Structure formats: C-alpha cells, structure tokens
C-alpha cells in the first residue's frame, strides 16, 4: 500500500513540475531581452551624440556667419536709402535669427556651447560697411552678403562631402536642410546684386 502511495506521489510531483513554468528560464529571458534593448538604444544614442572635431569647428564657424548676417541685415535696415535693400536687411535678420536658433538647439542637444557674440575677425566686416557713405552702401552690402554666404557654403561642402545622404543623425539632417536653405538664399542674393547693377 505504501509503495502505491509513494508511486502516486512521485507521478503527481512529476506532473506538477512539468506543468509549472520554469521561473528561472523566464527571468533569464526577460533580463536578456532588456539588456539587448538597452544595448540597441545605447548604440543608437552613441551614434547621435558624438561629433567629430571638424563638425564642432564647423558649427562654431557657422554660428559666427549667422551672427554676422544678422548684424549686416540690421545695418542695412537702418543705413540704406533704398527701400528694397532695407526690406532685404530686415528679412536677413529674420532668416538668420531663425537659422541661429536652430543651430543653437542642435548644439545644445550635443552638449556643445556656441559663442553668442560676434568675434573680432567678423566684426571687421561690420566696421567696413559702417564707414561707407549711403551712396556706396547698397552695392557693398549685397557684395558682403554674398561673400559671407559663399564662405558658409564652402564650409558646408567640406562637411557634407563626408556626410552620407543616409545619415539620419540630428547633425546630418540639420546640415543637409540648412545647406539647401542657404544655397537658395545665396542665389536670391546674387539675383538682387545683378538687379542693383542694372538699375545703376
């Protein structure tokens, strides 16, 4: 009788063990899945939080270009005697203030500070324009605008050459969009410059 009881008990224990989920196995699978997800997220973040020294330097230079264009635009809106040039100056202030805000937001996302004051090398451009007489200002203003834009575009070319079209990082997306906007502004400035020459 005892043998039958123990045999039944053994069968019952085996059945319960077979039907009960392996807690250790489940826990291990959950931990492994969590670690895999963390590694995947970590790798994505790392790809979008590290900037090369060249890209950092480029962003600093572009910030100065933006500040210079804002200052040139403000000067045009007050010094020019041509209403179209005045309006263009106001538009430049708005465009490049917006561009600078986007750049600052991008830099902040990478934990990188940008200068908010125009450096001495760039201030010289403003001093040169300020010294001009009103009659000479409009022509020199448009020349200065296109020169600064051309310099910025050259910098973009150097950065984008090494930046794949498939790069979906915050920097990559910003750089391609900003370059297109700047190129459109440059072409418009060249057109205005030619129109001003024709009117003279």
């Amino acid at each position: 009788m005892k043998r039958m009881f123990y045999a039944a008990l053994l069968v019952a224990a085996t059945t319960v063990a077979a039907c009960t989920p392996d807690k250790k196995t489940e826990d291990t699978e959950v931990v492994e899945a969590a670690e895999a997800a963390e590694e995947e997220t970590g790798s994505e973040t790392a790809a979008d939080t590290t900037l090369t020294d060249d890209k950092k330097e480029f962003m600093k230079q572009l910030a100065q270009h933006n500040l210079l264009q804002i200052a040139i635009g403000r000067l045009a809106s007050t010094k020019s005697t041509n209403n179209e040039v005045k309006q263009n100056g106001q538009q430049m202030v708005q465009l490049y203030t917006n561009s600078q805000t986007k750049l600052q937001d991008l830099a902040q996302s990478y934990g990188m500070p940008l200068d908010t004051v125009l450096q001495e090398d760039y201030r010289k451009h403003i001093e040169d324009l300020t010294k001009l007489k009103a009659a000479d200002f409009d022509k020199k203003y448009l020349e200065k605008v296109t020169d600064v834009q051309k310099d910025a575009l050259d910098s973009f070319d150097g950065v984008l050459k090494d930046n794949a079209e498939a790069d979906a990082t915050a920097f990559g997306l910003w750089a391609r969009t900003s370059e297109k906007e700047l190129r459109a502004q440059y072409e418009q400035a060249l057109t205005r410059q030619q129109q001003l020459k024709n009117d003279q």
Side-chain angles (χ1 to χ4, degrees):
M1 185 72 177
K2 283 184 178 180
R3 288 181 181 176
M4 291 181 62
F5 173 76
Y6 286 125
L9 186 61
L10 182 59
V11 171
T14 305
T15 304
V16 170
C19 295
T20 302
D22 187 345
K23 181 64 176 167
K24 186 176 180 181
T25 302
E26 282 187 356
D27 289 346
T28 303
E29 289 175 354
V30 170
V31 170
E32 289 176 352
E35 289 175 349
E38 186 176 351
E39 287 177 4
E40 184 177 351
T41 303
S43 64
E44 288 175 0
T45 302
D48 200 21
T49 56
T50 303
L51 286 176
T52 63
D53 289 340
D54 287 344
K55 288 178 180 177
K56 289 179 181 178
E57 186 60 31
F58 165 71
M59 289 169 69
K60 290 177 182 178
Q61 289 179 356
L62 193 64
Q64 288 296 307
H65 279 290
N66 288 341
L67 292 173
L68 178 57
Q69 292 285 24
I70 291 169
I72 292 174
R74 284 179 179 155
L75 188 60
S77 66
T78 57
K79 189 174 179 70
S80 178
T81 56
N82 184 310
N83 285 334
E84 290 185 7
V85 173
K86 281 180 175 287
Q87 290 175 0
N88 179 255
Q90 293 168 356
Q91 290 172 355
M92 295 290 284
V93 171
Q94 293 174 349
L95 283 171
Y96 284 94
T97 298
N98 185 48
S99 178
Q100 185 71 351
T101 298
K102 291 178 182 177
L103 179 56
Q104 286 174 336
D105 289 345
L106 177 70
Q108 187 175 6
S109 73
Y110 284 103
M112 176 185 149
L114 289 177
D115 288 340
T116 57
V117 178
L118 200 59
Q119 295 174 357
E120 185 174 352
D121 291 345
Y122 292 89
R123 284 201 302 268
K124 187 177 183 303
H125 295 288
I126 302 300
E127 292 169 2
D128 291 343
L129 285 172
T130 304
K131 295 174 184 176
L132 293 172
K133 295 178 181 179
D136 300 324
F137 177 82
D138 294 342
K139 179 183 176 182
K140 291 295 182 182
Y141 158 74
L142 288 172
E143 287 178 1
K144 188 67 69 177
V145 167
T146 53
D147 287 346
V148 174
Q149 289 174 338
K150 182 65 168 60
D151 288 344
L153 282 171
D154 289 344
S155 298
F156 266 110
D157 287 343
V159 169
L160 291 177
K161 179 178 64 176
D162 300 324
N163 197 66
E165 189 71 25
D167 179 7
T169 63
F171 178 87
L173 294 172
W174 165 83
R176 289 193 296 274
T177 301
S178 298
E179 192 274 342
K180 289 175 183 176
E181 291 174 353
L182 180 58
R183 192 166 295 281
Q185 293 163 15
Y186 175 65
E187 291 172 358
Q188 290 174 358
L190 287 177
T191 300
R192 290 191 193 96
Q193 193 174 2
Q194 187 59 48
Q195 289 173 344
L196 186 63
K197 287 180 181 179
N198 294 339
D199 292 341
Q200 291 176 342

